[in-house]
Amino acid sequence: MKKLILIGLLTVFILNARIYAGNADLFNYNEAAIEAEFAQLNTLENYVSNYDVTLNELKANNSFILTELHLNNIEMQNPLDLMFGFEDIDWGSFAWGFCCWPIGIFTVLLKDEKGSDSKMSYFIGIGTGVVLGLISRIAL
């Protein structure tokens, strides 16, 4: 019986791998469009290096090079703004992960209206519970 279950699981995994392996067009790209984008970036790079200005100065002066290259919508972001921080924690989702993670799967992970912050808070709650559980097991 165990061999039959093992063969069934291996068959499912092999068929699943064959389905996903057929996505050959997934990595196709338009080389002409990429070359055009790089030509614009090279023009901007040459302008910045020749006139020794920064992108913020170009935006402040509303330079023609930005409008010519259609680069008016460039927003400079701090890379740390994209990270998940303490102020982003959804404490309800954290509590579901920390206290009762099996039910939290249904109340947090499988709900479409929950955002990525809630789901990340859920996993942080699970991790915190596991770490504190391990520490309490070692301490006993």
Side-chain angles (χ1 to χ4, degrees), residues 36-74:
E37 295 275 339
F38 275 115
Q40 287 183 348
L41 288 175
N42 287 336
T43 304
L44 179 63
E45 180 186 17
N46 291 336
Y47 184 84
V48 167
S49 64
N50 288 339
Y51 293 105
D52 196 32
V53 293
T54 64
L55 184 60
N56 289 332
E57 291 172 353
L58 289 176
K59 286 177 70 175
N61 296 333
N62 204 9
S63 177
F64 74 94
I65 193 81
L66 295 178
T67 56
E68 180 182 314
L69 298 178
H70 307 293
L71 297 174
N72 285 332
N73 57 355
I74 293 177

Side-chain angles (χ1 to χ4, degrees):
M1 185 67 177
K2 290 181 183 180
K3 290 181 181 180
L4 184 62
I5 292 172
L6 181 64
I7 291 172
L9 286 174
L10 287 174
T11 304
V12 169
F13 286 126
I14 290 171
L15 290 175
N16 194 18
R18 290 189 66 212
I19 290 171
Y20 288 116
N23 294 335
D25 62 331
L26 185 62
F27 297 104
N28 290 341
Y29 57 91
N30 186 351
E31 191 170 335
I34 292 173
E35 291 295 326
E37 295 275 339
F38 275 115
Q40 287 183 348
L41 288 175
N42 287 336
T43 304
L44 179 63
E45 180 186 17
N46 291 336
Y47 184 84
V48 167
S49 64
N50 288 339
Y51 293 105
D52 196 32
V53 293
T54 64
L55 184 60
N56 289 332
E57 291 172 353
L58 289 176
K59 286 177 70 175
N61 296 333
N62 204 9
S63 177
F64 74 94
I65 193 81
L66 295 178
T67 56
E68 180 182 314
L69 298 178
H70 307 293
L71 297 174
N72 285 332
N73 57 355
I74 293 177
E75 290 295 326
M76 300 299 288
Q77 290 183 349
N78 185 0
L80 297 178
D81 290 341
L82 303 176
M83 295 178 64
F84 187 83
F86 187 75
E87 63 276 353
D88 297 326
I89 291 180
D90 178 11
W91 291 104
S93 298
F94 177 85
W96 277 114
F98 183 76
C99 298
C100 192
W101 65 268
I103 297 173
I105 292 172
F106 300 106
T107 59
V108 177
L109 291 184
L110 298 180
K111 281 194 173 181
D112 289 337
E113 61 265 6
K114 294 288 185 177
S116 62
D117 288 349
S118 295
K119 293 176 183 178
M120 180 63 76
S121 299
Y122 173 75
F123 287 119
I124 290 172
I126 291 175
T128 304
V130 168
V131 168
L132 291 177
L134 288 174
I135 291 172
S136 67
R137 294 278 181 182
I138 293 172
L140 294 177

